[in-house]
Amino acid sequence: MYAEERQDRVERLVTATGRVAVVDLAREFDVTSETVRRDLAQLETRGVLRRVHGGAVAASLTSRLEESVPSRLSRNADAKERIAVAAMTLIPASFSGAIAIDAGTTTGRLAEHIARWSPEAPHQSLVVITNSVRIALTVAENPDIEVNLLGGRLRGITSAAVGSTTIAQLARLRPDIAFIGANGVHAEFGLSTPDEEESAVKTAFTLGARRAVALVDATKLGEETLVRFAGLADLDMLITNDSPAPDLSAALDDAGVEVMVA
């Protein structure tokens, strides 16, 4: 097989699966690992992939890649809906207290359900704290909910408030539950996101609440992005749509994280 043929095959594989391993490619093509690495280097130069330890990932999986909320709304929509429905079991009609909701598309789907929340008794109250303009507007439609929109510098790509003002406000609050999104959940690296300022707010949400619940679809399990904002031990629960891989499952269990598969 010529180099061009191998590289075409590698390009198709990385497009289909998101990642490839040097040892697997060497076995499949019956070539040395050095030959595979040269192929990967050429593909990286062409922008097809990004080399990582032991192989390569699709260029779209770079640690700094961040898409706008509208571009992500329809992606994995069924999984996000299932996760949101499962998360609502933590906010029954009998619930009375404060919850924090981080900016994101899965948390945004949860907000759509919260907008229809109805208290069991007249004296009950639900306070929603969020740094997301989109989530605040969604939840504010419900007259039974008090919305606390955090201030700060608004990031256009996520419609989320970030910065020292946002973090200072969170430091004065102690919500009962914080629902947090993440771009990656990794056995060793923990929870991560591409942006440093957004990461700082996520850390404040996670550590400031009495209970921290991550809402993460299965495509992000096992992934790492640039900035770590929490360790697995900082979580109380992970709600996802598929069982984590054995290594991540073991790490979550060791950290005492309850996993709910929606």
Side-chain angles (χ1 to χ4, degrees), residues 36 41 125 163 167 208 259 262:
V36 172
S125 63
I167 294 170
V259 178

Side-chain angles (χ1 to χ4, degrees), residues 1 6 22-33 35-36:
M1 183 181 290
R6 287 196 308 271
V22 169
V23 291
D24 293 338
L25 294 175
R27 187 182 305 114
E28 178 176 345
F29 299 140
D30 193 23
V31 296
T32 65
S33 297
T35 298
V36 172

Side-chain angles (χ1 to χ4, degrees), residues 9-203:
R9 172 63 177 158
V10 171
E11 183 173 352
R12 289 196 298 271
L13 283 170
V14 80
T15 300
T17 65
R19 61 178 66 240
V20 290
V22 169
V23 291
D24 293 338
L25 294 175
R27 187 182 305 114
E28 178 176 345
F29 299 140
D30 193 23
V31 296
T32 65
S33 297
E34 290 71 19
T35 298
V36 172
R37 291 191 182 96
R38 285 195 296 269
D39 287 338
L40 296 181
Q42 292 183 40
L43 289 167
E44 185 175 45
T45 301
R46 288 161 43 191
V48 172
L49 49 76
R50 178 174 60 91
R51 285 182 293 171
V52 296
H53 180 71
V57 297
S60 60
L61 295 179
T62 56
S63 64
R64 283 287 292 153
L65 180 71
E66 188 174 15
E67 297 175 284
S68 65
V69 170
S71 69
R72 291 183 282 126
L73 283 174
S74 61
R75 188 175 303 155
N76 301 319
D78 179 66
K80 293 172 183 178
E81 174 66 15
R82 287 159 54 191
I83 292 168
V85 170
M88 281 302 296
T89 63
L90 305 180
I91 319 169
S94 59
F95 184 89
S96 184
I99 62 172
I101 310 178
D102 178 31
T105 53
T106 308
T107 51
R109 187 61 64 92
L110 172 62
E112 294 173 11
H113 286 270
I114 291 174
R116 300 190 291 271
W117 180 87
S118 180
E120 190 175 66
H123 66 276
Q124 288 175 234
S125 63
L126 177 62
V127 177
V128 171
I129 303 158
T130 185
N131 66 325
S132 167
V133 174
R134 291 174 180 273
I135 287 175
L137 289 172
T138 298
V139 177
E141 297 175 4
N142 188 331
D144 293 315
I145 297 176
E146 176 187 330
V147 181
N148 186 339
L149 176 60
L150 301 170
R153 183 180 69 81
L154 190 66
R155 292 191 73 224
I157 194 168
T158 57
S159 298
V162 296
S164 58
T165 300
T166 314
I167 294 170
Q169 291 175 13
L170 280 169
R172 298 194 296 269
L173 301 172
R174 184 74 165 166
D176 297 288
I177 308 172
F179 294 100
I180 307 134
N183 295 73
V185 180
H186 191 270
E188 297 177 2
F189 195 56
L191 286 78
S192 59
T193 193
D195 183 76
E196 187 168 358
E197 285 191 301
E198 199 109 26
S199 169
V201 176
K202 288 177 181 291
T203 298

